[in-house]
């Protein structure tokens, strides 16, 4: 309706003043152009708002997934720690059974050599189990004293000159688990 009024006024003014007609036409063109950019801006703003909301939602979902992942892995680690020794202990049970049988038979038998052989068999079975688990005894006697492997509990004069600074006797065996010392051997060192 504005355009009809502008055209009518422009036709009336056309006769009177041609400069006013062009000014009115320019103003109406500017108004029409001015409305389009503001519409474009609102459309762009809405698009940006939608993109922001999508990105924000994606971010929140990823964060929630990460929290769930972290909680799940912590729970799994706790379960592993809690039941990690289960296999090791289950494999020890047959050895415990052997010890129980040996203890029952010790009171009934008079043959000491048979009891000794039975205990030796149980000991060798137990040591093979430990070796299978990665536990090895530390060889000490005759080795050069090393504080990483041995704990000196006494020193005595060396019986021979070449035994100075070497382990003469082992009081308590030391053990390594996968090349890491889990118990130092208690030894007597020659001076």
């Amino acid at each position: 309706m504005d355009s009809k009024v502008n055209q009518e006024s422009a036709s009336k003014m056309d006769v009177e003043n041609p400069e006013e007609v062009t000014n009115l036409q320019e103003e109406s063109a500017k108004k029409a152009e001015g409305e389009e950019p503001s519409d474009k801006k609102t459309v762009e703003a809405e698009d940006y708002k939608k993109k922001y909301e999508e990105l924000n939602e994606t971010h929140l979902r990823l964060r929630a997934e990460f929290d769930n992942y972290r909680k799940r892995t912590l729970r799994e680690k706790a379960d592993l720690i809690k039941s990690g020794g289960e296999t090791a202990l289950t494999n020890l049970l047959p050895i415990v059974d052997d010890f129980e049988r040996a203890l029952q038979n010790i009171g009934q038998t008079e043959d000491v050599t048979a009891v000794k052989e039975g205990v030796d068999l149980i000991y060798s079975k137990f040591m093979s189990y430990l070796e299978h688990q990665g536990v090895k005894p530390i060889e000490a006697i005759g080795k050069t004293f090393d504080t990483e492997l041995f704990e000196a509990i006494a020193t005595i004069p060396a019986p021979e000159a070449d035994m100075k600074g070497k382990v003469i006797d082992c009081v308590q065996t030391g053990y390594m688990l996968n090349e890491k010392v889990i118990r130092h051997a208690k030894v007597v060192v020659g001076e």
Side-chain angles (χ1 to χ4, degrees), residues 43-76:
V43 170
E44 285 179 5
E46 288 176 9
D47 286 342
Y48 286 134
K49 198 174 201 178
K50 286 179 185 176
K51 287 180 183 177
Y52 169 77
E53 288 172 0
E54 288 174 8
L55 289 173
N56 194 31
E57 184 177 329
T58 304
H59 171 71
L60 290 175
R61 286 179 191 236
L62 285 173
R63 192 168 175 186
E65 286 178 20
F66 179 73
D67 282 345
N68 291 339
Y69 167 77
R70 187 178 50 81
K71 289 175 185 174
R72 185 176 57 247
T73 55
L74 285 174
R75 199 173 322 116
E76 288 172 357

Side-chain angles (χ1 to χ4, degrees), residues 114-128:
V115 171
K116 184 179 184 285
E117 286 177 14
V119 171
D120 283 341
L121 285 172
I122 295 170
Y123 176 76
S124 63
K125 188 175 183 179
F126 184 68
M127 291 306 289
S128 68

Side-chain angles (χ1 to χ4, degrees), residues 138 145-151 176 180-181 183-185:
I138 298 173
F145 180 73
D146 182 4
T147 57
E148 298 291 321
L149 300 173
F150 309 119
E151 179 183 341
M176 297 180 82
K180 179 185 176 216
V181 176
R183 183 172 88 179
H184 292 83

Side-chain angles (χ1 to χ4, degrees), residues 23-37:
N23 286 341
L24 285 174
Q25 288 175 349
E26 286 176 4
E27 285 179 22
S28 64
K30 285 182 182 177
K31 284 182 184 178
E33 288 176 6
E35 289 176 8
E36 287 181 17

Side-chain angles (χ1 to χ4, degrees), residues 1 6 20 52 56 67 78 82 128 130 135 141 147 169 190:
M1 188 166 172
N6 286 340
E20 288 182 27
Y52 169 77
N56 194 31
D67 282 345
K82 193 178 196 181
S128 68
L130 288 178
V135 177
I141 297 176
T147 57
D169 189 23

